[in-house]
């Protein structure tokens, strides 16, 4: 399971040695991004071996026509897909007129990739005997600027060893690209203009159907012995443009091509100015030069790390894991644009289409709240508010009325773009996660204003949905919810999933409470909202009735809530008693066998215990954890983190640590044997939670931050910072004690292990 | 819902008037077949209007690569598809060098289609003003010979009205055809040779992947004023060949092209002899000539009708309906080849892929047993015996072991070719229908030999499957069956579908009984089977335990078995209380809404009451009928017939009659608005059952045929014949009495309304 080819290091991800088998996996792991764009770690030069090419622009997608074996009423006609964007990183290299290619080289040695997470720069270096026997040494540095987020930079140095040679560089742009997962082999991009100057080139292209206008651009320069060597415009076709630089080198001389490139997009600039803005960006970065731009990059990442770093002492693999997770989250989403969101694969692959799942609300928001200022989390909430009308339309398509809202399972622009009936139509608990995030946002930030301004309307739409989605069972004289899929997707179309029923009840009660609060404190907003939604007291009474008479499956014998009706009919063999050869069951078993088994893909009942822990005692948690965890196979990337937090809460640190390792190194160690498809970005926020909420025991209780710090045996110390209501608190934990340091000007009191502790600005308090 | 453009007639299906809107529907309704091949009623001449071209050869299919939105483990890689075969009916017509086409004609009048079901011949006639203003009158007759089943015949007569004209006929063969439902736009046919003689042509082609070798052939001749006009080989490409005949006509003269054509296939002849066999067939039919071949066709259909006709007096629509059903069943399958089966669309369309569903066992076998000799039904049973190894492989793929067999949901060659998890993996009751058919075959024919020779092995495989598919619920201390889909496909992945559980228990008990019988009466077979299957007494004991402790969901309150666990939690609004605008729900509602509703697509619990009626009292039936029928939407073609039979049993003749009309005229009146896709062949056997078993009340009880005749108010009389153990009994029912006539030499006693009645050969007995 553990590929084990990534070298442990505190700050860097390192691969040593060239193995064609690992290229696609490394392309994922060494991906870089700056929130606005990103790429897989594809080689700049031509590579004819097995590779998965991927460049992505935030918010640019394609509505691929749905293709299913059997159509079910209600399926969306289109599936919005993360789109492979024009390639700007490409540089063809010719040595004595023969194209250089690692796949055909006679020997490759000292191959090394290093992703320096501290500085946000990716370096690749190697020596190779090319197919024509010329020996070269190559060092390539690449980064995507955080400061000027339209631009990335590449420095490509080639040294000729032992012999003279003529080097040709052909940096290019290419918009003739496709998606691996296209349904109908459609062309996704339409190129409208290709242009060059002496050292720059531009491709204007828009996506088919969605008409996202983009300009992909580049500038290149060659430096040889301190001199700039000028290039010439070279190839130019409908969807391809290149420049050409040539230089004769003597043995052991080197030459460096510097390439700046990137995208300007019509989301941020008027369409007709895209080339001009690209030119401006290039002017700006070329005035700085590669080195100064890189320095700014280091500064920008230093600023990010200063707030979000988690330091672990005594366990380099754990340290590398958490930093990799934090690094990737920041590469994917920096919180600068409420039209964007956190795709499950970020900028590292195509899979899953769509950019927004319930992962954002359930897993990502806590990370962004604590490591950025609260505007970032608010932007993520606003994203859903902006999609409310479409969520109402979506519910309408499924037969709901009166402004009931069902947020999509997967979306780009608010429209549903998923098409498995058991998920699209039935995994409706996602609606509850969106409501929960509103609660969580206010609880953590103390910023109530979002609720009267936007959140309450979202809550009303969601409560209306739950009210219509249940029905009264005459048999039980309770409201039941039939035909749902819970977070555990290894059960489909079940009745009375406890988690979903609990969430529905909670949503209704929470909405009713907020209605009262807004009515009393924000009268103008209240009247605006009531006017808009036509909500009546009578309707609220109906909701209340549903919440009060909700049915929850329960086993007296076991003293636990049941995941769903009929759970106890299953053949309850624990995961540990399954032969190892049968796992992972999602690869070894047919789907029906998985469904009728008791095995749980990710926290389901326990997800409810995570969200609503204050409703249950620790004894309750223990009983449910002991009942469900033994049946849990953790075959979702979102599973280990919640279980790690709960194991920590139960004082089971060894188990918590093992879950932590699994979540933090999921991609680095390729637990699920699929890292070549891309990274699991959203679950990385869960890794952060498993340290801060799990080991650190951080909670917000009655407007106060609270900690119950523990430390795994394997660690000497760990520390993290959180931004709580504009106060930055650094927490450092060892086996002996915990130190708190408040950065700021105002005192704040927190609770540690249940006791009040006053923090004084810039003083170390040890507990 | 009722298209109402088919004219009522006792023996013919008639369309009058040309409406381009109806062309695709009529192409389905006027389809012809002879068990070995068939075609939609496409026009022979070129038609540029909207059309769905379809020619089919029995047993020739293509394994189309599966294409689904989301792959589930266990899906078959290929989906065997009914294949559109090379076209041999085509005849291009040129009038004064302008191609004739009904779609571009200036006027079409007296257009008439007539499918004469008594004689098995399809006639189309019309007058038209061609695009070049020449007026013509056309009469086309077409039939597929029952006697020489490789061949069909077309007589195409054109009369020129009012003016002289030059007529050109280009009869052709075309193997450059495609399937409308191809997944990947693959080419399905590879043409290897195209050849012509003066009046014959041949295209040798084989299917890709499956390599079914075929020869499509034709012979044409033109008759003018009693003289044969010779033609010449004309066009010839990779996949197309034509002959050409030209004749100048004076006003009001006519000319007739006679075309014989068809297929020889490697399933029946050595590959290298296909052209020779085709030539032999053509020699044979041209020696006979069109008229004599047609006379043989009439004789053949007279023989079929003499046994299978049902005569209804006083209700021409009902009469037309039942004859259409019987005619289509005989066009689809004549019982001559145990490698063939009864496809749900026969030779009338592509939809559903595959040729064999549980429809064959549950619906078709009773029709074939009673209207043919018992060898035909035995062939259908043998078909499944031949597929036993593949059913065992299929079960293995889903994780079953030890020779457990799961027959596919849909198949061509024994391999599963369906890919919806909730059907493919979970609609496993199909396995039980195969066992039930073995019981039904013996019960009706009295031929036990099938069981020791073949059936017992099938039963063992099926019982092994059920034994492994259930699990012991500790909670219930009963065996439960989780995650299934019953016959009511508007419920997916439910627990303890009563019908499936009941069937499983019955299968095990029936298998154990047959094991004993074979052990005691067929010792050699018994030892062969035990040696082959390694069945032990211990395994049988385990089966018995499962059968004895099977769980059946039951409601004390309602006194009924529940369709599945949790059925009573539903919002139990009866179909009659649904707004008409919401129906059919499969077109108006999203899939999740259908699933959580109580609505039933086709008999489910009631299917069990149909199969196993002797296990339940009439009061039980009534209670269950009254509980479930009000929730039944009958949106499956297989639904009304079972309900018609049960309503008749309960003496509710008005309701039974309405169900009968719905089943018998489903396609003629296009109830489901989809007849253009093809006809519902297998449900047509249900129509036959609703008269014979429903109104006639025919059963086999303790080796004796039994009747409880009733008659709908709308009818004066009806009569049918059944072949019961080589005795042919004609039953004629009026409101006053029922007359029985035994055709044969040996006496037989039957029961009528519970009383014994002795039938004497060739005497009319009136009860």
């Amino acid at each position: 399971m553990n590929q084990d080819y990534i070298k442990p290091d505190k700050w860097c991800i390192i691969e040593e040695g060239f193995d064609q088998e690992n290229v696609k996996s490394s392309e994922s792991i060494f991906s870089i991004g700056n929130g606005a764009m990103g790429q897989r770690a594809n080689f700049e030069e031509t590579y004819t071996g097995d590779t998965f090419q991927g460049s992505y622009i935030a918010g640019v997608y394609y509505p691929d026509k749905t293709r299913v074996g059997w159509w079910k009423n209600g399926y969306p006609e289109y599936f919005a897909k993360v789109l492979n964007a024009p390639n700007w990183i490409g540089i063809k290299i010719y040595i004595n007129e023969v194209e250089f290619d690692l796949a055909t080289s006679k020997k490759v040695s000292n191959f090394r990739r290093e992703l320096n997470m501290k500085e946000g720069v990716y370096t690749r270096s190697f020596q190779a005997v090319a197919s024509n026997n010329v020996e070269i040494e190559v060092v390539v540095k690449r980064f995507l600027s955080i400061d000027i987020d339209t631009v990335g930079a590449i420095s490509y140095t080639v040294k000729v060893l032992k012999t003279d040679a003529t080097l040709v560089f052909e940096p290019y742009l290419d918009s003739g690209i496709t998606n691996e997962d296209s349904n109908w082999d459609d062309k996704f991009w339409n190129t409208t203009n290709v242009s060059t100057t002496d050292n720059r080139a531009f491709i204007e292209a828009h996506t088919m159907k969605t008409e996202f206008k983009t300009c992909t651009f580049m500038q290149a320069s060659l430096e040889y012995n301190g001199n700039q060597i000028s290039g010439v415009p070279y190839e130019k076709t409908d969807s391809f443009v290149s420049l050409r630089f040539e230089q004769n080198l003597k043995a052991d001389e080197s030459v460096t091509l510097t390439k700046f490139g990137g995208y300007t997009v019509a989301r941020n600039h008027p369409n007709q100015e895209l080339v001009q803005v690209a030119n401006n960006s290039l002017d700006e970065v070329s005035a700085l030069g590669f080195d100064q731009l890189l320095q700014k990059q280091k500064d920008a990442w230093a600023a990010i790390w200063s707030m979000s770093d988690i330091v672990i002492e005594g366990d380099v693999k754990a340290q590398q894991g958490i930093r990799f997770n934090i690094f990737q989250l920041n590469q994917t989403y920096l919180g600068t644009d409420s039209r964007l969101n956190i795709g499950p694969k970020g900028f590292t692959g195509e899979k899953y289409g769509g950019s927004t799942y319930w992962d954002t609300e359930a897993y990502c928001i806590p990370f962004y709240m604590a490591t950025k200022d609260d505007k970032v989390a608010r932007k993520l909430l606003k994203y859903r508010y902006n999609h409310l009308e479409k969520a109402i339309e979506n519910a309408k398509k499924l037969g709901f009325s009166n402004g009931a809202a069902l947020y999509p399972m997967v979306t780009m622009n608010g429209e549903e773009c998923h098409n498995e009936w058991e998920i699209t139509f039935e995994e409706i608990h996602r609606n509850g996660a969106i409501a929960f995030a509103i609660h969580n946002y206010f609880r953590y930030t103390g910023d109530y204003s979002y609720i009267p301004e936007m959140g309450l309307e979202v809550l009303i739409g969601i409560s209306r949905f739950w009210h219509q989605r249940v029905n009264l069972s005459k048999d039980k004289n309770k409201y039941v919810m039939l035909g749902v899929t819970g977070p555990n997707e290894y059960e489909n179309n079940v009745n009375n999933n406890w988690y979903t029923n609990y969430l529905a009840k909670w949503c209704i009660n929470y909405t009713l409470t907020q209605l009262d609060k807004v009515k009393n404190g924000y009268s103008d907003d209240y009247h605006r909202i009531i006017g808009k939604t036509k909500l009546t007291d009578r309707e609220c009474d109906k909701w209340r009735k549903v919440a009060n008479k909700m049915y929850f499956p329960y086993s007296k014998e076991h003293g636990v809530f049941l995941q769903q009706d009929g759970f106890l009919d299953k053949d309850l063999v624990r995961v540990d008693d399954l032969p190892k050869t049968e796992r992972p069951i999602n690869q070894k078993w047919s789907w029906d066998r998985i469904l009728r088994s008791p095995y749980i893909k990710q926290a389901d009942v326990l997800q409810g215990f995570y969200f609503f822990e204050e409703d249950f005692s620790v004894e309750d948690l223990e009983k449910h954890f002991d009942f469900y965890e033994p049946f849990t196979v953790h075959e979702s990337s979102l599973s280990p983190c919640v279980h790690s937090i709960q194991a920590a809460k139960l004082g089971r640190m060894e188990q918590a640590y093992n879950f932590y390792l699994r979540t933090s190194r999921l991609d680095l160690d390729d637990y699920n044997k699929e890292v070549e498809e891309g990274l699991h970005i959203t679950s990385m926020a869960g890794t952060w939670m498993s340290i801060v909420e799990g080991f650190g025991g951080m909670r917000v209780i009655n407007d106060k931050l609270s900690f119950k710090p523990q430390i795994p045996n394997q660690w000497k110390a760990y520390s993290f910072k959180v931004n709580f209501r504009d106060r930055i608190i650094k927490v450092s934990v060892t086996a002996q004690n915990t130190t708190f340091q408040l950065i700021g000007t105002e005192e704040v009191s927190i609770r540690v292990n249940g006791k009040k502790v006053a923090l004084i600005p810039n003083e170390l308090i040890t507990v």
Side-chain angles (χ1 to χ4, degrees), chain A:
Chain A
M1 208 175 282
N2 187 331
Q3 289 200 342
D4 223 11
Y5 72 90
I6 299 298
K7 307 290 161 231
D9 183 276
K10 285 185 182 181
W11 272 113
C12 293
I13 307 299
I14 298 164
E15 176 186 10
E16 286 175 352
F18 183 62
D19 183 346
Q20 297 212 25
E21 290 290 302
N22 287 343
V23 167
K24 283 165 79 176
S25 296
S26 293
E27 283 174 346
S28 296
I29 292 174
F30 291 87
S31 290
I32 55 176
N34 67 357
M37 61 174 161
Q39 285 127 23
R40 292 171 55 79
N42 303 132
F43 300 156
E44 289 81 1
E45 76 278 3
T46 298
Y47 179 64
T48 56
D50 208 13
T51 169
F52 170 20
Q53 297 286 309
S55 296
Y56 309 99
I57 308 174
V60 172
Y61 60 90
Y62 180 83
D64 208 12
K65 190 147 182 261
T66 301
R67 186 155 206 164
V68 294
W70 296 86
W71 191 267
K72 305 280 190 192
N73 287 345
Y75 277 166
E77 243 185 291
Y78 296 99
F79 186 106
K81 287 213 162 129
V82 165
L83 198 55
N84 201 352
N87 172 359
W88 66 259
I89 66 164
I91 303 170
K92 296 185 189 183
I93 310 281
Y94 295 86
I95 307 169
N96 294 341
E97 294 176 15
V98 175
E99 185 161 17
F100 177 72
D101 172 359
L102 273 170
T104 60
S105 291
K106 294 198 170 156
K107 192 181 167 194
V108 180
S109 53
N110 296 326
F111 182 91
R112 188 173 195 277
R113 300 194 198 230
E114 180 187 287
L115 181 60
N116 185 324
M117 300 185 286
K118 190 173 184 179
E119 304 181 344
V121 60
Y122 163 55
T123 305
R124 177 170 61 108
S125 56
F126 58 84
Q127 290 174 324
V129 181
S131 60
N132 56 356
N133 293 315
V134 181
E135 291 186 40
I136 59 171
E137 187 178 282
V138 171
V139 179
V140 193
K141 282 186 182 299
R142 187 160 98 207
F143 63 92
L144 303 184
S145 174
I146 299 281
D147 293 277
I148 304 166
D149 70 5
T150 46
V151 181
I154 298 167
S155 151
Y156 199 113
T157 301
V158 182
K159 184 174 183 180
V160 184
L161 305 175
K162 300 181 188 163
T163 171
D164 299 356
T166 304
L167 258 282
V168 169
F169 292 83
E170 286 177 20
Y172 64 85
L173 303 176
D174 180 9
S175 62
I177 39 85
T178 55
N179 259 48
E180 285 204 349
D181 67 350
S182 161
N183 281 337
W184 300 87
D185 306 321
D186 283 355
K187 208 183 141 204
F188 291 166
W189 288 94
N190 187 17
T191 305
T192 52
N193 196 35
V194 177
S195 58
T196 32
T197 66
D198 277 357
N199 65 343
R200 291 183 179 179
F202 306 88
I203 289 186
E204 290 165 271
H206 62 257
T207 53
M208 313 291 269
K209 293 192 204 172
T210 36
E211 297 270 326
F212 291 115
K213 307 274 197 288
T214 63
C215 170
T216 307
F217 58 85
M218 70 169 175
Q219 169 185 308
S221 58
L222 191 71
E223 194 184 296
Y224 170 64
N225 281 341
N227 300 318
Q228 292 295 325
I229 310 302
S230 56
V232 290
Y234 191 58
E235 270 188 274
K236 188 171 150 187
T237 73
D238 282 356
S239 59
F240 185 91
V241 61
S242 66
L243 303 172
R244 188 169 192 276
F245 297 84
E246 182 171 340
Q247 182 60 46
N248 297 318
L249 300 187
K250 298 205 187 308
D252 297 318
E253 281 190 336
S254 67
V255 62
T256 297
L257 186 96
T258 302
K259 183 177 184 182
F260 296 116
Y263 311 103
T264 50
V265 293
R267 194 178 67 252
N268 295 325
H269 309 284
N271 183 33
Q272 65 280 12
E273 292 174 18
L274 293 180
V275 173
Q276 188 50 51
V277 179
N279 266 310
N280 297 349
S281 296
L282 287 172
D283 291 346
E284 194 179 353
V285 296
S286 48
L288 289 166
F290 185 90
D291 291 340
Q292 268 198 66
L293 193 66
L294 178 56
Q295 187 54 51
K296 278 174 152 299
Q297 179 78 346
K298 292 176 185 175
D299 296 346
W301 274 102
I304 292 170
W305 285 116
S306 84
M307 189 56 224
S308 61
D309 191 23
I310 294 183
V311 180
I312 297 171
E313 286 172 43
D315 189 342
V316 64
K317 281 195 145 193
Q319 175 68 78
Q320 188 180 38
I322 186 63
R323 284 197 171 127
F324 184 65
N325 286 248
I326 296 167
F327 180 70
Q328 291 296 348
L329 284 163
N330 278 289
Q331 289 208 117
T332 305
Y333 184 74
L334 286 160
T336 50
D337 190 333
S338 69
R339 294 164 299 182
L340 303 180
N341 211 289
I342 307 147
K345 296 239 162 274
F347 300 118
T348 73
E350 301 171 4
K351 211 182 168 187
Y352 300 128
S355 76
T356 314
Y357 285 65
W358 68 292
D359 305 26
T360 293
E361 282 77 16
Y363 294 87
C364 299
I365 279 183
F367 169 78
Y368 284 103
M369 286 197 298
T371 66
K372 311 269 175 207
D373 74 48
D374 60 16
K375 287 191 197 73
V376 172
R378 194 176 161 114
K379 277 189 188 115
L380 289 170
L381 298 191
K382 190 172 176 226
Y383 177 93
R384 295 292 193 176
Y385 176 70
N386 291 338
H387 289 174
L388 177 58
E389 284 312 310
K390 290 202 167 149
I392 291 171
E393 268 174 49
N394 186 39
K396 223 178 198 170
K397 261 178 69 177
L398 301 185
F400 297 87
S401 57
N402 186 36
L406 175 61
Y407 279 91
M409 189 66 204
V410 187
T411 194
M412 277 290 190
N413 62 350
E415 288 165 21
E416 177 63 81
C417 66
H418 194 80
N419 51 39
E420 276 176 301
W421 65 264
E422 63 275 18
I423 305 292
T424 313
F425 305 151
E426 298 204 339
E427 200 174 334
I428 51 180
H429 66 81
R430 62 196 186 237
N431 236 17
I434 288 161
F436 180 80
I438 295 173
H439 158 66
N440 202 15
Y441 171 77
F442 168 58
R443 175 171 67 175
Y444 191 86
T445 66
D447 168 24
Y448 193 73
S449 69
Y450 176 73
I451 294 179
E453 288 171 24
M454 297 182 253
L456 186 57
E457 287 177 58
V458 172
L459 292 171
I460 290 169
I462 289 172
S463 288
R464 283 177 159 162
F465 173 81
W466 292 125
H467 166 242
Q468 292 175 38
R469 187 57 168 73
V470 298
N471 68 276
L472 185 71
S473 162
K474 287 206 180 120
D475 197 50
K476 295 191 162 75
N477 193 27
K478 289 274 186 183
Y479 286 95
V480 293
M481 200 172 336
L482 307 181
V484 304
T485 295
N488 169 19
E489 291 169 333
Y490 288 177
E491 300 281 352
N492 291 161
N493 193 45
V494 301
N495 295 336
N496 295 308
N497 171 260
W498 177 84
Y499 171 74
T500 309
N501 286 18
Y502 199 88
L503 204 53
K505 176 185 171 135
W506 177 87
C507 283
I508 289 175
N509 286 334
Y510 184 72
T511 305
L512 292 170
T513 307
Q514 301 320 308
L515 269 165
D516 268 356
K517 273 178 86 170
V518 173
K519 186 177 185 176
N520 296 325
Y522 305 80
S523 172
D524 287 356
D525 285 314
Y526 181 78
H527 288 107
R528 176 181 54 78
I529 292 165
I530 296 300
K532 190 168 167 186
T533 59
K534 315 260 182 279
L535 184 68
T536 62
D537 286 348
R538 210 166 142 250
E539 191 180 347
C540 291
D541 287 344
K542 285 191 198 161
W543 297 356
R544 200 172 284 115
K545 211 168 131 194
V546 165
N548 289 341
K549 281 183 86 163
M550 188 71 86
Y551 171 73
F552 298 105
Y554 183 77
S555 163
K556 274 192 191 152
E557 185 194 341
H558 299 278
V560 296
F561 291 109
L562 291 175
Q563 185 178 279
Q564 74 244 9
D565 282 353
F567 187 82
L568 290 180
D569 280 339
K570 289 170 179 283
D571 190 13
L572 296 169
V573 175
R574 298 155 67 104
V575 176
D576 284 348
D577 296 331
L578 273 184
K580 286 258 183 311
T581 52
E582 309 271 292
R583 296 184 55 198
I585 60 171
N586 67 10
Q587 288 173 24
K588 301 295 175 74
W589 284 9
S590 74
W591 187 241
D592 58 313
R593 194 171 175 194
I594 291 173
L595 288 178
R596 67 180 176 272
S597 81
Y599 303 117
I600 301 170
K601 187 183 178 194
Q602 70 183 84
D604 192 296
V605 171
L606 293 179
Q607 183 75 30
F609 275 72
Y610 170 67
F611 273 175
F612 305 110
E613 64 174 347
E614 63 275 22
D615 298 355
F616 307 99
S617 69
V618 176
E619 293 68 37
D620 279 341
L621 172 64
E622 186 160 35
K623 209 183 269 178
H624 285 80
F625 191 90
D626 286 344
F627 186 78
Y628 286 110
E629 200 287 323
F631 299 116
T632 307
V633 287
H634 304 292
E635 290 174 10
S636 157
S637 66
L638 298 172
S639 190
C641 56
V642 171
H643 289 88
S644 181
I645 295 167
Q646 292 180 328
K649 182 169 176 178
L650 297 173
R652 303 177 183 180
M653 285 299 286
E654 194 61 29
Q655 200 179 9
Y657 175 73
N658 285 329
F659 283 129
Y660 166 78
L661 270 195
R662 186 155 169 177
T663 176
S664 71
R665 296 190 61 88
L666 175 72
D667 289 320
L668 289 179
D669 294 341
D670 200 11
Y671 274 89
N672 293 348
K673 295 183 194 162
E674 53 175 18
V675 77
E676 64 180 41
E677 296 172 352
L679 305 176
H680 297 83
I681 299 299
T682 47
S683 73
M684 293 178 172
T687 306
W688 178 90
M689 294 197 297
S690 57
I691 293 187
V692 174
E693 300 184 7
F695 303 154
M698 184 179 91
R699 301 288 189 278
V700 181
I701 301 170
N702 298 330
D703 270 347
K704 291 223 175 333
L705 216 50
S706 161
F707 295 90
K708 287 194 180 170
Q710 301 179 82
I711 185 167
N713 277 332
Q714 292 81 351
W715 297 0
K716 281 199 198 120
Y718 68 98
S719 65
F720 58 86
K721 277 187 197 158
V722 293
N723 174 356
F724 181 68
R725 305 188 180 184
D726 292 330
R727 290 167 184 88
I728 292 165
I729 300 163
K730 184 175 177 189
V731 183
S732 305
V733 184
T734 66
Q736 289 69 45
N737 57 41
T738 304
T739 308
F740 297 90
Q741 184 179 10
L742 174 64
I743 301 158
T745 52
E746 277 180 272
E747 267 191 37
V748 65
S749 78
I750 61 172
R751 295 181 86 84
V752 181
N753 295 322
K755 287 182 195 144
K756 198 174 151 184
V757 175
L759 300 186
I760 295 149
N762 305 315
E763 258 184 45
L764 281 177
I765 309 278
T766 300
V767 181

